[in-house]
Amino acid sequence: MIQVYHNPRCRKSRAGLQYIQDKGLEHEVILYLKDQAFDEAALRDILKKLDMKASELLRTQEDIFKKEIKGKGLSENEIIRKMIENPRIISRPIVVHGEKAVVADPAENTEKII
């Protein structure tokens, strides 16, 4: 089953979810800001499935990023801790299918894993 880490207040996240729904794909929506879906193990697992470093999954336009991460020279471990503390800085939506994942922005990125 496909998992969609979703923020309903985000236009891009809504578009990614809509794409999956329009395709009729069985999926589970995880409201990661509300459900506190990320602990260190879960985030590391998703990063592995994305084949990305934590620094590549950051939303750089967020104030938290600008104040607490940008230019600080943080390690990947420190960035992961910041992401767990402040999940708004995680790019979205993340779509996971089996052992692969994509950031579905644009929504068509989902095609890479279904």
Side-chain angles (χ1 to χ4, degrees), residues 14-25 27 107 111:
R14 289 191 308 270
L17 178 59
Q18 187 66 53
Y19 187 86
I20 289 167
Q21 291 170 335
D22 290 348
K23 289 257 183 204
L25 300 171
H27 63 281
E111 292 295 327

Side-chain angles (χ1 to χ4, degrees), residues 4-57:
V4 182
Y5 289 82
H6 176 59
N7 175 358
R9 297 187 69 186
C10 173
R11 179 183 53 82
K12 293 176 181 180
S13 191
R14 289 191 308 270
L17 178 59
Q18 187 66 53
Y19 187 86
I20 289 167
Q21 291 170 335
D22 290 348
K23 289 257 183 204
L25 300 171
E26 187 176 342
H27 63 281
E28 169 190 15
V29 175
I30 300 166
L31 301 173
Y32 71 95
L33 293 178
K34 179 181 173 188
D35 298 337
Q36 296 178 331
F38 295 117
D39 60 17
E40 185 173 346
L43 187 54
R44 286 186 184 278
D45 183 56
I46 287 174
L47 287 166
K48 181 180 174 185
K49 291 175 181 180
L50 287 164
D51 192 26
M52 293 176 106
K53 294 179 181 180
S55 56
E56 297 172 312
L57 191 59

Side-chain angles (χ1 to χ4, degrees), residues 66-79:
K66 292 173 185 174
K67 291 177 185 173
E68 298 185 21
I69 299 172
K70 184 177 181 181
K72 304 272 190 217
L74 300 179
S75 69
E76 286 292 299
N77 289 334
E78 291 170 319
I79 292 171

